[in-house]
Amino acid sequence: MRRRLVVTYLLLLCMVLLALEIPLAVTVASRETDRAVADRLADATRFASLAAPAVRSGDLAALNDELRRYQELYGIGTLLVDQDQRVLSAFGTAPAAPAVAVRGALAGHQVSSPGTLWPWEREPLMVAVPISDGGAVLGVVLTVSPTDRSRRDVLIVWLVLTLVGVLAVASCLTTADRLASWVLRPVTRLDAAAHEIAGGDSAARVQPGLGPPELRRLSASFNEMADAVAEAMERQRSFVAHASHQLRNPLTVLRLRIEDLGSRVDDEELREDREFALEETDRLADVLDGLLALARAERGRHQVETADATALTADRVKAWQPLAERRDVELVAELPAEPVPTRLVATALDQALDALIDNALKFTPAGGRVAVRLRSAEDGDAEVTVRDTGPGMTEEQCRQATERFWRAPDAQNVDGAGLGLSIVNVLVEASGGRFTLAPAEEGGLAATIRFRA
């Protein structure tokens, strides 16, 4: 858009310059031609007045001497012919085709050619004046003038006009570029702020006071809209967190009361219903915990800090070892010997590994293996992969797995709220990293998170 604005400004300027300079250039050439023709006509008229008595008497000596000195002094040739077009005297270079000019002058007219002295032409300027005496035309005086100087003067003026036009275009180009930048700067900031908000930075705003008044009002409206959306999202997160927190106490009371009923229930069918009710309360508690964790992960701006990914990964693998041994699953860590510094929000790697290792242990059958591998990528980023030997998922299921409350069709009865991968995705994106989920080559699932170094 900026280039189109600049091109539009330049196009308008070029049209104005052409509309002004072309007529001006033509006027300069015509004016120079008129000046040269007027000068030659004055000389030819004078010679014609001198030639009238000389032609009538036949004594041309004085006139020829005058014409010779004129040619020697100014380099302008002359041709004197009588009324029968016989040449009486000639000085200088003879013109190529004087017949037309001579016939025109014999008819009683003053003739000059060419009509305009254009710089690209080389024809001499011919001026023919009739020699009149008492109303009768006795002959013609024709002058042949070189036009190099006149054409050079025209060309110099044209070059000056061209230089002025080039300078005007250069000035317009600079001005148009700055004007387009000034006009489009708010639009560029609007685009950047929209992308930042879409990327999760709800505090991104457009700097006020930039650009023309219309775009300033647009920037102010965008900021007001962003404030309203951020406030609504914050209220929504606060409501979810508050509601989840408030529901935990009555849920705990409800679970205690259901547990108390166990000692007073003798019927076996009622005991099964009681166990089912307890499982549902546990499941509801998991959902509330997940909603609280998700609300905390999405709330506010996260401060990115540098941490040692090697130490954090080793710590989380060690923490999950007892559960892995209880489920008879081999949990191994493949870590580099040296520290791997990485930039992330506080506890992002801890929470992400907790969620990924928990999922891997849930879906890996007894005797299986869960491997947590940390390595430094070629670009320096820290890459952590949790790979299991469970049933895995299809690529389409992997794409849907980060949606909130999404559960695989064959995992509806597995413990969990369906929010773990969503929390991982939020934490990784808040750290400026990337989370991917894909089927492992040797079977099972490979969850990879990458943080910037």
Side-chain angles (χ1 to χ4, degrees), residues 11 33 35 39 109 158 174 186 192 198 310 317 344 353 376 419 437 453:
L11 183 61
T33 303
R35 187 194 62 78
D39 191 40
H109 306 294
W158 284 18
T174 304
T310 304
V317 172
L344 40 75
L353 283 176
S376 294
L419 294 171
L437 200 63

Side-chain angles (χ1 to χ4, degrees), residues 304-307 341-345 431-432 451-453:
V304 177
E305 58 187 32
T306 301
T342 183
R343 293 179 56 78
L344 40 75
V345 299
S431 303
F451 294 105
R452 292 179 298 175

Side-chain angles (χ1 to χ4, degrees), residues 360-422:
L361 293 178
K362 283 178 185 175
F363 293 100
T364 301
R369 187 172 187 269
V370 174
V372 181
R373 180 188 180 192
L374 169 65
R375 72 182 186 92
S376 294
E378 295 179 355
D379 54 2
D381 291 351
E383 184 180 276
V384 184
T385 302
V386 178
R387 185 177 291 105
D388 62 56
T389 56
M393 292 190 298
T394 64
E395 293 184 357
E396 178 62 25
Q397 289 174 337
C398 289
R399 283 192 289 271
Q400 299 175 351
T402 55
E403 296 178 3
R404 297 175 185 181
F405 300 109
W406 183 86
R407 305 291 296 272
D410 54 351
Q412 296 296 323
N413 296 325
V414 178
D415 293 340
L419 294 171
L421 296 181
S422 300

Side-chain angles (χ1 to χ4, degrees), residues 15 39 69 92 118 169 302 316 321 326 328 362 429:
M15 293 175 64
D39 191 40
R69 290 199 301 272
W118 300 115
V169 170
H302 301 277
R316 298 325 301 163
Q321 281 292 352
R326 193 160 55 244
D328 194 20
K362 283 178 185 175
E429 289 186 352

Side-chain angles (χ1 to χ4, degrees), residues 13-77:
L13 177 66
C14 290
M15 293 175 64
V16 172
L17 286 176
L18 291 175
L20 292 176
E21 291 200 347
I22 289 179
L24 183 58
V26 173
T27 301
V28 168
S30 299
R31 187 190 60 186
E32 185 63 23
T33 303
D34 293 342
R35 187 194 62 78
V37 170
D39 191 40
R40 295 294 90 77
L41 279 176
D43 294 344
T45 302
R46 174 175 174 275
F47 292 137
S49 62
L50 297 175
V55 171
R56 183 174 293 280
S57 64
D59 184 7
L60 300 176
L63 178 61
N64 289 339
D65 186 59
E66 182 82 11
L67 295 177
R68 182 184 301 105
R69 290 199 301 272
Y70 179 72
Q71 192 272 332
E72 292 174 351
L73 183 61
Y74 299 105
I76 300 175

Side-chain angles (χ1 to χ4, degrees), residues 55 89 106 120 145-146 187 215 243 247 303 362 399 438 446 453:
V55 171
S89 65
L106 289 175
W120 55 84
S145 308
V187 179
L215 292 181
L247 285 174
Q303 185 68 34
K362 283 178 185 175
R399 283 192 289 271

